[in-house]
Amino acid sequence: MTESTLPAETVAAMQEIVARYPHPRSALLPMLHLVQSVEGRVTARGIEACALVLGISSAEVSGVATFYTMYKRHPVGDYHVGVCTNTLCAVMGGDAIFDRLKDHLGIGNDETTADRKITLEHVECNAACDYAPVVMVNWEFFDNQTPESATQLVDDLRAGVEVRATRGARVGAWREAERVLAGFPDDRADEGPAAGPASLVGLRLAHERGWTAPPGEDSRDADTGSQPAHPTAASERADTHRAESETKVADAQGDAQGSMSVDRDGERRDGA
């Protein structure tokens, strides 16, 4: 196995990552993100460096790098634009957004524009279904997109206009985002809102209806002022409170919908 040709500071950063974990091999995923932050993709010499630092074979590193889609084997542009085309986003407009961007940018899936600014990829679920359709730029969320808003988004990115995520920070370059994923913060974590309206519906309902969380394991009993006798007691109370809350929601929904029901033939009829 030959010596890595990555910069010495990159290898030192890899060793810093390894020191965070009780088992060195657990550091491989963030190490690969670090490689991408330096190389712009997972390169052969990046794989070799990871293998040397961890004391494993380059084949083992390659097996991980080729398994996860966030690790790229060809250069990525300044901005990785991922359009969710999984079921909910697709039916809400994700497919239309992806088709528009392909035509507008003149590239296909997992391709990069000639100016090296935009890499376009359809993504199988961005884990934000309540904001569908969702586009991500360097893993920052852009919610409730349309073909028009997504087109404006990529035009702004190419023009160097500062872009801010719907729920998150200013969008930096892809390599900067990769360094953050490697575990080196960019001090943008507290920029912008962390949650949107759809995420806060439950909290709003709790405030409106006076619901509160059950006491924690170390909290005093709300009724007696005494400490829970055993952790399972707190758990049982939590289950009871949760069931009561779910019942309240179901009752409220039932009141709103009236007493209509559906018979076995699919016809609606009034309940008794």
Side-chain angles (χ1 to χ4, degrees):
M1 186 177 292
T2 60
E3 185 178 354
S4 167
T5 57
L6 284 183
E9 58 268 26
T10 302
V11 175
M14 286 183 172
Q15 294 167 338
E16 180 182 338
I17 293 171
V18 172
R20 301 171 185 165
Y21 295 88
H23 303 289
R25 187 165 178 160
S26 300
L28 179 55
L29 297 184
M31 288 172 67
L32 287 170
H33 283 297
L34 182 67
V35 169
Q36 294 195 139
S37 75
V38 175
E39 302 279 86
R41 61 189 174 112
V42 175
T43 58
R45 68 177 189 166
I47 289 174
E48 189 78 0
C50 291
L52 282 168
V53 171
L54 294 176
I56 60 179
S57 71
S58 57
E60 291 174 291
V61 177
S62 293
V64 173
T66 56
F67 182 82
Y68 294 103
T69 59
M70 287 180 73
Y71 300 123
K72 308 302 181 184
R73 301 311 298 271
H74 52 79
V76 176
D78 291 339
Y79 302 100
H80 177 275
V81 177
V83 180
C84 184
T85 55
N86 212 338
T87 307
L88 183 56
C89 277
V91 300
M92 295 294 287
D95 284 344
I97 291 171
F98 189 61
D99 289 342
R100 173 73 68 85
L101 291 182
K102 285 194 296 183
D103 291 341
H104 183 69
L105 297 170
I107 56 178
N109 179 56
D110 208 20
E111 294 180 355
T112 302
T113 55
D115 60 5
R116 311 304 302 172
K117 292 290 186 181
I118 306 292
T119 296
L120 181 66
E121 183 180 7
H122 75 83
V123 179
E124 289 300 317
C125 192
N126 279 324
C129 301
D130 42 352
Y131 297 99
V134 172
V135 173
M136 295 192 84
V137 178
N138 297 346
W139 314 114
E140 295 286 356
F141 287 103
F142 290 82
D143 305 328
N144 305 119
Q145 292 294 292
T146 65
E148 293 73 26
S149 67
T151 300
Q152 185 63 55
L153 173 61
V154 296
D155 285 348
D156 287 344
L157 292 170
R158 298 180 85 179
V161 176
E162 183 181 274
V163 171
R164 291 180 176 269
T166 308
R167 291 173 288 123
R170 289 168 290 137
V171 175
W174 184 74
R175 292 192 185 204
E176 296 172 357
E178 285 299 300
R179 185 169 176 81
V180 173
L181 291 173
F184 299 95
D186 60 0
D187 297 324
R188 297 182 185 179
D190 295 326
E191 284 190 7
S199 302
L200 299 174
V201 170
L203 182 62
R204 177 177 58 80
L205 288 173
H207 286 164
E208 290 175 354
R209 301 179 184 185
W211 299 342
T212 58
E217 180 179 323
D218 295 329
S219 299
R220 291 188 174 275
D221 187 279
D223 298 323
T224 67
S226 61
Q227 294 285 354
H230 192 275
T232 56
S235 176
E236 290 171 358
R237 277 202 302 276
D239 290 340
T240 300
H241 282 287
R242 187 180 301 111
E244 291 173 349
S245 297
E246 291 171 353
T247 301
K248 290 178 182 178
V249 172
D251 290 345
Q253 292 174 340
D255 293 341
Q257 295 174 355
S259 58
M260 299 298 290
S261 61
V262 179
D263 64 21
R264 294 184 58 159
D265 296 324
E267 294 184 2
R268 300 179 69 184
R269 56 183 173 81
D270 290 332

